[in-house]
Amino acid sequence: LISKDEYDALKYGTKMHKLFEQTNFLKIDENNENKNVIENFVKMLNITSDTLVYKEYEFIFDQENVTYHGIIDLMIEYNDYIDIIDYKLNNIKDENYLKQLNGYKNYISKISNKEVNIYLYSIISETLEKL
């Protein structure tokens, strides 16, 4: 069982995650009630019309007889590097998140010769932290 506050936080987190997933970062809807949240996030990125943006990028790979499965919230591919960003509602200080993102980085590094950077983004504090 969870408290009403915990339930509300989970509900808000799900709503915001979906908003980030569905928003075109190059053309943010002027009528969106959370427009400023998205704009503040996009200002931290270097997205152009030439940038490849992957949202909810799902992958499965095997390594040393172990199957790994993951879904990357946001992957941005630039000419010479790739940024992987995982959204969190608030707390971005958790060792499990680092393990999760290193797994993503490991996989992408195997299929690309580009440098791979990993980040956590706190939606509430609007903080993008490179790991």
Side-chain angles (χ1 to χ4, degrees):
L1 295 175
I2 61 173
S3 70
K4 180 175 179 350
D5 288 343
E6 290 170 319
Y7 173 79
D8 290 344
L10 287 171
K11 189 174 173 182
Y12 180 72
T14 300
K15 174 185 172 185
M16 295 309 293
H17 197 280
K18 188 170 189 142
L19 174 68
F20 277 64
E21 178 185 345
Q22 295 176 343
T23 298
N24 178 342
F25 293 145
L26 291 174
K27 187 177 180 184
I28 301 168
D29 182 0
E30 293 293 322
N31 298 317
N32 189 308
E33 66 181 273
N34 295 297
K35 177 180 173 252
N36 62 328
V37 173
I38 298 295
E39 284 179 334
N40 291 339
F41 174 65
V42 172
K43 285 177 189 174
M44 297 179 203
L45 311 174
N46 187 23
I47 297 176
T48 68
S49 58
D50 296 331
T51 308
L52 297 176
V53 176
Y54 305 91
K55 296 178 181 182
E56 300 299 310
Y57 182 89
E58 186 170 14
F59 65 90
I60 298 173
F61 78 100
D62 292 314
Q63 181 177 333
E64 298 176 9
N65 295 323
V66 177
T67 300
Y68 296 91
H69 175 249
I71 300 174
I72 298 171
D73 288 344
L74 177 63
M75 185 168 64
I76 306 170
E77 185 173 359
Y78 301 96
N79 288 333
D80 54 351
Y81 66 97
I82 296 172
D83 286 342
I84 295 173
I85 302 169
D86 197 57
Y87 313 126
K88 302 298 180 195
L89 183 59
N90 193 18
N91 176 28
I92 56 175
K93 303 288 184 193
D94 186 322
E95 283 297 313
N96 289 320
Y97 298 154
L98 179 59
K99 186 189 293 186
Q100 173 189 0
L101 282 164
N102 275 322
Y104 297 168
K105 181 178 181 177
N106 182 31
Y107 171 70
I108 297 301
S109 294
K110 287 184 183 310
I111 63 169
S112 172
N113 60 356
K114 296 180 182 182
E115 175 187 351
V116 179
N117 305 300
I118 53 177
Y119 297 84
L120 281 171
Y121 182 70
S122 170
I123 295 169
I124 289 179
S125 67
E126 296 183 341
T127 304
L128 183 64
E129 184 173 313
K130 185 173 184 178
L131 304 176

